[in-house]
Each structure stands twice: as structure tokens, then as C-alpha cells.
Amino acid sequence: MEATTGEWELLDQLRDGVVIADEDMTILYANPTLHRMAACAPGTLAGRPVDILVPADQLRAHRAGVQRVRAGGDGPRLRGPALRT
């Protein structure tokens, strides 16, 4: 995933946790806030599956939602606009 230095710096400064994943649900980027929220060392989430961020009791629903979206159905209701790259 390509981004300018300024774009990464902006995401790094947010107080909200941000994760960017590819179509295979592999984490491409997670900002420092998300690393703190997930109790992970900085820089250790990239390349790992998004599933590691989902609580165990919600994992089945998460995976079903991913499959629904892959099949062309509706995705989750996000608080902001989804960005497509």
C-alpha cells in the first residue's frame, strides 16, 4: 500500500484506532493507537490477519460478515465513509 509521508503521519496522530486491510483481510497498516488498544508492540500488526483484532465471542459473526461482503452483500455500517484504493 502506497501513501505519502504526510498521509501516514496524519493517521499516526489520530486518537482513534485505524486499521487498513487488503481484500484477504491481511493488515496492511495499523496506527499507534490501534497497537495500544490491541496491547501489541508498535509495528507488529502489519502482515497479520484482521481476525486477531476481533474478540473470540464475535469472531464467527465477523467471518460471516466478511463472506457476505465478498459475495456482494452489504457490509458493516461504518461511522464514516469507506475509502477504496
Side-chain angles (χ1 to χ4, degrees):
M1 178 175 177
E2 294 183 31
T4 67
T5 301
E7 290 169 329
W8 288 129
E9 288 175 0
L10 174 66
L11 294 175
D12 285 347
Q13 299 304 314
L14 293 175
R15 286 191 254 170
D16 292 325
V18 175
V19 64
I20 299 172
D22 64 13
E23 61 273 355
D24 295 322
M25 301 305 292
T26 300
I27 298 171
L28 300 175
Y29 167 83
N31 72 347
T33 301
L34 187 71
H35 280 86
R36 283 191 300 277
M37 292 168 65
C40 293
T44 60
L45 292 173
R48 300 184 70 189
V50 170
D51 283 0
I52 66 168
L53 299 173
V54 179
D57 65 332
Q58 297 175 24
L59 193 53
R60 178 188 248 174
H62 167 73
R63 289 179 176 164
V66 168
Q67 291 304 318
R68 185 177 60 250
V69 170
R70 284 184 175 155
D74 287 339
R77 301 294 178 245
L78 303 175
R79 290 186 352 191
L83 301 176
R84 302 242 184 243
T85 59

